[in-house]
Amino acid sequence: MRIQWQKARKLYNLEETRQLWSGFTAQTKEFFEKLNPGMIVDNHKQHTIDPEYQEYILGPIKDDPEHWRGKTALDFGCGCGRNIKNLLDAAPFGRVDGCDISRLNAEYSKKHVLEHFDKDKCETWESDGFGILPTPDDEYDFVMSHVVFQHIANYSIRYHILEDIYRGLRAGGLVSLHFMDLGGTYEEYYGHYPPPTAAPAILENPSNWEVRNCMVRDENYLIKDFEEIGFKDVVCHTGRDLYCHQKSYYVWGRK
């Protein structure tokens, strides 16, 4: 099984990934910027009532709020700020930050959070699409993401985002990252979109590309990647999203 898995995947290093798909991440930014008018808190509040979200994202926080007093957390793909506020409501974090590939989303999420909390409780920024920069090393005690990774249909980009999350996590820190087998136009887990074999002229001109979803299918792909990156005590809960009715995966791990 291990041999078959290794043969099935092709991983481009970070430099190659940036060279091949910088145009695609720029196009993705533009796509989500255009969606910003609909990225309001009420548009995603239905995801908060999902029992899986409550257990596998908020559960570790609500079960022992005092453990998180004064600590820091990050929401990758913060969108409208829903998760940032939920984390601050659940425990006395020192700070909960957020990053998003859309600058407008990042700005909206901070504005939303600051309607309820002091300004020193949250920072947000536009990510470059390949990680969580400019986050320093060993910055966060908890990193989470919800309803985001299914929109990244490029295996190497996803893998390097996970590596960067690991870099930004403190020793002993916890991640809880959500993936989902969303339908529509998609790539298999190890797929790369746009294909790296495309002619340079095509790779450099993203005007005809589309935003695709990622299909995981097998939780062991996730577990193996997390373990290879260095996460410890990796576990995955496989369930079904209450709202989208699609197979969902919540992966936990520690640094």
Side-chain angles (χ1 to χ4, degrees):
M1 179 66 179
R2 178 71 174 179
I3 295 175
Q4 292 176 344
W5 167 68
Q6 288 178 332
K7 287 182 178 179
R9 76 167 189 168
K10 166 66 176 177
L11 175 64
Y12 294 85
N13 66 39
L14 181 56
E15 181 179 354
E16 292 171 331
T17 301
R18 287 184 180 276
Q19 288 177 347
L20 284 168
W21 289 291
S22 59
F24 178 63
T25 56
Q27 185 262 358
T28 303
K29 285 177 183 287
E30 181 180 347
F31 176 85
F32 283 103
E33 293 279 57
K34 291 178 179 178
L35 290 181
N36 173 259
M39 290 293 292
I40 59 175
V41 174
D42 285 349
N43 189 46
H44 283 70
K45 67 180 182 181
Q46 65 271 16
H47 294 294
T48 297
I49 66 172
D50 189 332
E52 291 182 345
Y53 172 83
Q54 289 289 326
E55 181 172 357
Y56 298 105
I57 296 292
L58 297 185
I61 311 304
K62 295 189 300 181
D63 289 348
D64 189 5
E66 280 301 309
H67 171 77
W68 304 99
R69 180 173 293 278
K71 295 186 176 181
T72 55
L74 173 68
D75 176 17
F76 175 78
C78 60
C80 57
R82 169 181 65 98
N83 298 309
I84 298 175
K85 182 179 182 298
N86 288 344
L87 291 174
L88 288 168
D89 285 339
F93 281 100
R95 196 179 79 246
V96 179
D97 296 339
C99 64
D100 197 281
I101 198 169
S102 162
R103 176 184 58 82
L104 294 176
N105 284 355
E107 291 174 352
Y108 179 97
S109 63
K110 183 172 183 178
K111 179 181 177 182
H112 168 65
V113 172
L114 295 188
E115 291 174 355
H116 305 275
F117 295 93
D118 294 337
K119 63 180 181 180
D120 62 348
K121 286 291 187 179
C122 175
E123 291 293 339
T124 65
W125 64 91
E126 176 188 0
S127 72
D128 67 356
F130 297 97
I132 60 173
L133 289 173
T135 298
D137 294 353
D138 309 314
E139 177 73 5
Y140 293 107
D141 300 286
F142 180 63
V143 179
M144 54 81 50
S145 184
H146 189 239
V147 199
V148 173
F149 276 97
Q150 76 272 10
H151 294 312
I152 307 173
N154 185 300
Y155 174 65
S156 291
I157 292 176
R158 285 198 316 275
Y159 190 93
H160 294 306
I161 290 171
L162 296 178
E163 283 189 317
D164 207 37
I165 287 174
Y166 181 85
R167 176 192 62 80
L169 195 67
R170 289 194 175 115
L174 176 69
V175 295
S176 180
L177 306 179
H178 169 257
F179 295 73
M180 183 162 51
D181 285 347
L182 201 59
T185 305
Y186 63 85
E187 290 289 325
E188 297 293 344
Y189 183 78
Y190 293 123
H192 290 85
Y193 183 80
T197 55
I202 296 177
L203 286 171
E204 294 167 5
N205 181 9
S207 60
N208 293 321
W209 297 348
E210 57 191 350
V211 175
R212 295 190 178 188
N213 297 314
C214 164
M215 189 71 73
V216 177
R217 299 188 189 274
D218 187 343
E219 66 180 39
N220 289 305
Y221 296 152
L222 295 166
I223 293 171
K224 289 169 181 173
D225 279 348
F226 275 61
E227 290 178 340
E228 181 178 271
I229 287 168
F231 290 104
K232 301 175 182 177
D233 305 322
V234 179
V235 295
C236 181
H237 168 79
T238 301
R240 189 164 296 276
D241 183 84
L242 179 67
Y243 176 66
C244 298
H245 311 295
Q246 302 295 330
K247 193 175 180 181
S248 62
Y249 311 82
Y250 291 85
V251 191
W252 287 8
R254 291 194 179 272
K255 184 172 180 178

